[in-house]
Amino acid sequence: MNAEETFKGVSKIRGVNLGGWLVVEGWIKTSLFDEIPNGDLLDGTQVQFKSIMLQKFVSAANGGGAEVTVDRSVPSSWETFKIWRVSDSEFQFRSLGGQFLTCGGEWESISASAESPSATETFHIERNHDRVHIRLLSGIYVQATSTNQLVANYQGNPGWDDNAATFQMIIAANDLHGDYQLANGYGQDKAKEVLSKHRRNFITQEDFRFLSMNEINTVRIPVGWWIAYDPDPPAPFIGGSLEALDDAFSWALTYNLKCIIDLHAAPGSQNGMEHSASRDGSVDWPGSPEFISQSLDVIDFLASRYANHPSLLGIELLNEPFAPSVPVDVLTSYYSKGYQIVRKYTSTAYVIFCQRIGRASPLELYQANIGTSNTVVDLHYYNLFDDFYVNLTSTDNIDFIYNNRQAEVQALNSANGPLVFIGEWVNEWNVKNASKAAYQAFGMAQLDVFSQASFGWSYWTLKNERKHWDFEWNILNNYLLLDSSASREIARKLLLWMSLCASLYLHQIG
């Protein structure tokens, strides 16, 4: 890019993500989930059941498809079930193979054979600490028999002693805290109250003023697919995010910021994570023509609504599709169609294609020849989420930025195709008890390298309970130094100091 060139009036992108606002991520603001009854049993929670009497685990052999047994001494995948929450005490249980536990009635065995859930797949759970009773909606309790079967035939009302109808419930994983879990956990009325308050207060006009005063020129705004159905999206999702997005565009205009709209959560989920609004961790988007078509309709809605708004910079067609669950041919076909949809409404807005996560090369998107003008490939760079980074020192992390990240950015910059955008990065790592100076050096190394990307960068995220992920906290506490001239000199001195310390340490132990 020549010095005179700009992106719709903005110099190279210096952006911040508004994560956790219009798409919920529980780890960003944990208090959103505090008042949900039985809040440890949300959609997607993985549970195991151990018979108190037999001291064996309930198991769906081969992942499902037949009667379940109570005969496993050690739990693994066959003994783990994903919750679909119906109410705060009624649940459905999905086996590894995707089938649901089901029971036809009294004296019937439990099997993992239902392809979709209804009343016969719904069980009432009574809890006493980690002990539970499981009963049908008819009131009949389930018990583990001496022949290692799970049958709905317990007579009477079981107490909490070591009887055949009492199980220990073990929560094996509780990783999903997204829009689906929040809305389905609270129910429509309470969820609307919680989310309305959150959307009003988490990001405000004052935040846009703060960003503008701190040399930020762009916000990347994650949205969920249900925004296109506002104000009454399909259950359990809650309306109101469209009004908040309209506010963001208005505030951006006031403070001379640009907006990138990012489809962060697609129907069916493109990566199984909470930020894609997955119900139970499944990745159903790529295998469903209906979900893909629905996603394209959302892009059409967003492009038609904001194409002529002076604050629109670009539309990102999908965030973090997961490889290999999302095949590259399915993804590039979707990107090509999404590009054409955006171009129906605007010839100047940038169309952004996110790289697949899960060890996929961004070069696959350059080789696909998607679109002909104003296209961008989005890479997400974290020195986290992989065992490779676990034991790196602060110097190792900084070296990795300069040696590995920089090489990839420069190679993609010179490739024939889309511009390069580091759409997510953070001033956090696995280094324990790192000093403020070390964080400053790490942040400046990233700023130095990511500023070389031909389109620019965007920090994840503006606000976060984990302070080093919080852009605002980093700026106010001088952990992230944005001023280009002064901070580069500081970073140079910090890097020199860190290298010297490392050399002295190696000399001493040698």
Side-chain angles (χ1 to χ4, degrees):
M1 183 183 73
N2 296 325
E4 299 81 21
E5 292 179 329
T6 61
F7 303 114
K8 297 191 73 175
V10 175
S11 58
K12 191 177 287 189
I13 305 309
R14 294 162 63 91
V16 171
N17 286 274
L18 305 185
W21 183 34
L22 305 185
V23 174
V24 168
E25 298 188 44
W27 68 281
I28 291 177
K29 187 178 178 182
T30 58
S31 61
L32 286 173
F33 293 80
D34 283 352
E35 297 179 27
I36 297 179
N38 273 337
D40 57 344
L41 296 181
L42 301 176
D43 288 277
T45 300
Q46 298 179 36
V47 294
Q48 299 159 345
F49 296 102
K50 184 178 183 180
S51 166
I52 295 296
M53 184 182 73
L54 300 180
Q55 288 296 295
K56 301 288 185 181
F57 286 89
V58 174
S59 177
N62 300 311
E67 289 188 358
V68 302
T69 55
V70 192
D71 58 356
R72 308 284 287 195
S73 298
V74 178
S76 185
S77 55
W78 292 354
E79 294 72 52
T80 303
F81 303 91
K82 293 180 179 179
I83 283 177
W84 280 28
R85 182 177 172 120
V86 178
S87 71
D88 59 1
S89 60
E90 294 176 349
F91 306 91
Q92 297 155 346
F93 300 97
R94 198 178 191 188
S95 65
L96 177 67
Q99 300 98 330
F100 291 85
L101 298 189
T102 183
C103 183
E106 187 175 3
W107 295 98
E108 296 286 335
S109 297
I110 313 298
S111 66
S113 57
E115 295 300 323
S116 60
S118 62
T120 53
E121 290 74 48
T122 303
F123 299 87
H124 187 97
I125 298 293
E126 299 173 355
R127 302 182 71 177
N128 181 12
H129 303 291
D130 67 340
R131 291 195 171 197
V132 298
H133 299 145
I134 306 169
R135 62 176 171 87
L136 309 187
L137 296 185
S138 63
I140 301 299
Y141 287 93
V142 171
Q143 69 172 330
T145 70
S146 58
T147 56
N148 301 101
Q149 303 301 302
L150 194 64
V151 183
N153 64 349
Y154 187 87
Q155 301 302 304
N157 191 4
W160 295 107
D161 58 1
D162 297 353
N163 61 70
T166 299
F167 299 83
Q168 179 187 12
M169 182 173 67
I170 299 165
I171 296 177
N174 186 18
D175 301 328
L176 295 176
H177 292 81
D179 281 271
Y180 204 105
Q181 287 72 30
L182 186 147
N184 207 38
Y186 278 119
Q188 288 286 298
D189 291 342
K190 181 63 175 179
K192 185 174 182 179
E193 175 189 329
V194 170
L195 278 181
S196 296
K197 181 179 179 181
H198 172 65
R199 290 165 180 164
R200 285 195 310 269
N201 298 306
F202 191 62
I203 301 294
T204 67
Q205 183 171 349
E206 177 60 22
D207 295 311
F208 280 65
R209 186 187 72 83
F210 171 81
L211 293 172
S212 178
M213 291 177 60
N214 284 279
E215 305 179 25
I216 297 302
N217 57 31
T218 303
V219 287
R220 179 174 178 259
I221 309 174
V223 300
W225 63 269
W226 54 92
I227 196 171
Y229 302 86
D230 229 81
D232 298 306
F237 297 102
I238 304 299
S241 58
L242 183 59
E243 180 182 358
L245 184 59
D246 285 344
D247 287 341
F249 269 81
S250 177
W251 301 333
L253 190 60
T254 298
Y255 292 103
N256 197 30
L257 299 176
K258 297 298 182 183
C259 298
I260 293 171
I261 308 173
D262 156 43
L263 182 56
H264 218 69
S269 177
Q270 72 278 17
N271 56 33
M273 300 180 189
E274 66 182 29
H275 61 246
S276 67
S278 176
R279 181 170 192 173
D280 68 0
S282 300
V283 183
D284 296 327
W285 179 85
S288 169
E290 180 182 352
F291 287 154
I292 293 173
S293 177
Q294 193 176 5
S295 301
L296 293 170
D297 290 342
V298 176
I299 297 302
D300 190 288
F301 171 82
L302 294 169
S304 63
R305 186 178 184 89
Y306 296 104
N308 296 318
H309 197 289
S311 294
L312 179 68
L313 178 64
I315 295 177
E316 186 156 355
L317 301 178
L318 191 65
N319 177 71
E320 293 188 346
F322 182 68
S325 299
V326 179
V328 67
D329 59 333
V330 172
L331 182 64
T332 53
S333 172
Y334 167 77
Y335 280 164
S336 295
K337 292 173 183 176
Y339 173 85
Q340 295 298 331
I341 288 172
V342 175
R343 286 290 169 260
K344 284 195 310 181
Y345 301 101
T346 169
S347 61
T348 58
Y350 288 85
V351 184
I352 304 173
F353 318 125
C354 189
Q355 170 192 8
R356 292 193 300 168
I357 58 173
R359 301 183 184 276
S361 170
L363 282 173
E364 65 189 17
L365 299 181
Y366 286 81
Q367 296 162 353
N369 297 317
I370 310 166
T372 57
S373 65
N374 286 10
T375 57
V376 179
V377 166
D378 177 9
L379 291 75
H380 295 175
Y381 280 158
Y382 294 100
N383 281 25
L384 296 160
F385 312 129
D386 191 294
D387 290 342
F388 173 81
Y389 303 107
V390 170
N391 294 316
L392 295 188
T393 67
S394 54
T395 303
D396 292 336
N397 276 279
I398 292 169
D399 286 345
F400 184 83
I401 296 297
Y402 278 111
N403 294 330
N404 299 71
R405 302 294 197 205
Q406 183 167 248
E408 183 168 66
V409 168
Q410 291 176 345
L412 295 176
N413 276 344
S414 61
N416 183 24
L419 297 168
V420 180
F421 180 40
I422 314 304
E424 293 185 17
W425 65 278
V426 67
N427 198 31
E428 183 60 296
W429 47 13
N430 288 315
V431 180
K432 304 299 182 185
N433 302 315
S435 67
K436 183 175 183 177
Y439 271 107
Q440 289 175 330
F442 181 53
M444 272 314 305
Q446 294 185 93
L447 285 166
D448 189 21
V449 171
F450 302 161
S451 293
Q452 298 173 34
S454 52
F455 194 67
W457 53 261
S458 181
Y459 189 91
W460 187 273
T461 182
L462 175 58
K463 295 182 179 180
N464 198 308
E465 290 180 355
R466 303 181 187 186
K467 59 187 181 181
H468 291 289
W469 291 77
D470 185 308
F471 178 82
E472 184 178 46
W473 181 91
N474 274 273
I475 297 301
L476 294 177
N477 291 277
N478 293 316
Y479 272 73
L480 193 61
L481 307 171
L482 291 182
D483 179 71
S484 57
S485 57
S487 56
R488 286 179 192 277
E489 179 60 23
I490 292 172
R492 187 189 66 80
K493 293 179 179 178
L494 287 170
L495 289 170
L496 183 63
W497 173 76
M498 290 171 67
S499 297
L500 178 61
C501 290
S503 298
L504 289 173
Y505 173 75
L506 291 173
H507 177 73
Q508 289 175 353
I509 65 174

